[in-house]
Amino acid sequence: MIMKKITLLITMIALTFMANGTVYLDETFNYPEGSKLKDNSGWTTHGKIGGWPDDFVIGSSTLTYSNSGGTYILSGQGKAMVCNYLGNYSSNSSNYCVYKNFNSSALTTGTVYAAFLYTPNSVSQSQSQSPIISLSTPSSNTGVQVWVGKGAVNTSYFRFGTTRGSTSSGDIKWSTTEYSDVSATYFIVLKYDLDNKVSYIYINPTIGSASEPIADASDTISTSSTKTSLQTLQFKVQGASKEIYKLGNVRICSTWSEAVAAQSTASPLPAPTVGTPTDATANGFTAHWSPVENAIGYDVKVYLGPNLISTIIVSGQSTSSVEITGLMSGMT
């Protein structure tokens, strides 16, 4: 089956070189203020937890973050997603999930990173553990996860943890550092090694760093629900667990350099002229564009309607084409 139509948008990498890799999704929650995440394009719900009136709601502001390495590449873009789940709207302990595909098919090998900004939204953490974000698969209640919970040393502080699929409190691997500022924005990177089935979290790593630091926590041993494939970005409320926070500016990608990329301070280059795609097959095509002077590489962004399906990064000023593969047949 040949694709009915091909739509392309090409943007530039100006001065920051990134190792060849893929940005699967840049989710900035740029949806109507006050709307529920589940009601926006690309998002699907799974499970039910009663009459929760707030749901995951799009807020009025965005989140920003900078450190000694620069400003996070998605800082200040779009809006923040707000969770105000008080854990008292249902007598059952069912899960309620909202998820979005970050790739057209499940990934089973390699490494996946999810970088994002998080704030407790000025509310002290009182739960022993609450989920923040997951990488998962469609219609699943489990995922490679980042957790937040009250401190073990100082219970008025909070800490971050991770699991590679388990939702059991005993399986969460916590960071040793505990945090007190509930108004601050934190830059968090979740990593999952699909080949070795290990999850890692990094709290406030240096923007633009060339290599990964030692992880703040990692899960190598939990046995429950270990994920063998990933395809979705997922948010979840879980039974009676109280969850109050803001989260935004999520980048899902395949390399560390993409996860911690900095915003460029250089003047933007002009966009290249998009050429006519060729060699369309049931699952891909070849994209073409005109090279731009002073460019060192190009981001080729593939969209399904308004939704970004993938970003392929190619290096070289004179590069003018790239093969796009792995699409579903019949897509526009």
Side-chain angles (χ1 to χ4, degrees):
M1 182 176 184
I2 301 299
M3 291 180 293
K4 295 176 288 185
K5 181 182 177 183
I6 297 169
T7 304
L8 295 176
L9 176 65
I10 297 181
T11 59
M12 301 294 298
I13 299 174
L15 293 178
T16 303
F17 177 79
M18 297 179 186
N20 287 339
T22 300
V23 176
Y24 299 109
L25 176 69
D26 278 344
E27 178 56 71
T28 60
F29 303 101
N30 197 23
Y31 306 119
E33 179 184 341
S35 66
K36 294 184 177 182
L37 189 58
K38 67 181 181 182
D39 295 328
N40 287 289
S41 177
W43 291 92
T44 304
T45 62
H46 173 65
K48 188 176 182 181
I49 198 163
W52 177 31
D54 291 317
D55 212 299
F56 296 99
V57 177
I58 305 305
S60 59
S61 60
T62 188
L63 297 176
T64 61
Y65 182 84
S66 300
N67 62 28
S68 59
T71 299
Y72 173 50
I73 194 167
L74 298 183
S75 176
Q77 298 187 28
K79 302 181 181 73
M81 184 272 290
V82 182
C83 179
N84 281 311
Y85 178 65
L86 301 180
N88 59 359
Y89 294 110
S90 174
S91 60
N92 64 47
S93 59
S94 300
N95 293 297
Y96 170 77
C97 303
V98 182
Y99 67 89
K100 179 179 186 178
N101 287 356
F102 65 79
N103 201 49
S104 58
S105 59
L107 303 177
T108 58
T109 61
T111 304
V112 180
Y113 295 84
F116 62 96
L117 301 182
Y118 163 88
T119 177
N121 205 17
S122 301
V123 177
S124 297
Q125 174 65 34
S126 61
Q127 301 288 311
S128 296
Q129 71 277 336
S130 299
I132 301 175
I133 192 173
S134 300
L135 295 176
S136 188
T137 48
S139 300
S140 172
N141 284 328
T142 63
V144 178
Q145 202 147 350
V146 178
W147 300 80
V148 64
K150 62 184 178 181
V153 177
N154 188 331
T155 57
S156 65
Y157 287 18
F158 61 96
R159 57 183 178 166
F160 298 102
T162 184
T163 54
R164 57 179 185 171
S166 175
T167 58
S168 172
S169 60
D171 285 335
I172 301 173
K173 306 305 181 292
W174 294 101
S175 63
T176 57
T177 302
E178 298 182 357
Y179 302 86
S180 61
D181 192 343
V182 296
S183 299
T185 295
Y186 298 84
F187 176 47
I188 302 173
V189 178
L190 170 65
K191 171 187 174 182
Y192 193 55
D193 180 346
L194 279 160
D195 298 319
N196 296 296
K197 311 299 185 292
V198 181
S199 66
Y200 305 83
I201 54 168
Y202 306 84
I203 312 302
N204 295 335
T206 301
I207 301 297
S209 54
S211 58
E212 297 178 27
I214 297 173
D216 288 270
S218 62
D219 179 15
T220 63
I221 61 175
S222 66
T223 58
S224 174
S225 304
T226 301
K227 302 304 288 188
T228 59
S229 64
L230 298 177
Q231 189 178 3
T232 63
L233 168 63
Q234 175 180 276
F235 300 102
K236 176 174 68 173
V237 292
Q238 184 169 294
S241 293
K242 181 180 178 180
E243 300 174 31
I244 300 177
Y245 62 86
K246 285 184 181 180
L247 186 149
N249 310 97
V250 183
R251 164 167 283 195
I252 301 177
C253 55
S254 64
T255 67
W256 176 259
S257 61
E258 293 160 344
V260 299
Q263 292 181 7
S264 174
T265 58
S267 299
L269 296 177
T273 300
V274 179
T276 302
T278 61
D279 303 321
T281 68
N283 304 104
F285 59 91
T286 298
H288 299 271
W289 61 91
S290 58
V292 174
E293 187 177 359
N294 295 323
I296 63 169
Y298 304 85
D299 283 351
V300 181
K301 298 180 180 292
V302 183
Y303 287 81
L304 175 59
N307 299 314
L308 180 64
I309 299 299
S310 67
T311 301
I312 298 174
I313 298 173
V314 292
S315 60
Q317 185 277 330
S318 62
T319 304
S320 61
S321 67
V322 66
E323 184 179 4
I324 311 296
T325 60
L327 304 179
M328 295 181 294
S329 62
M331 71 191 321
T332 298

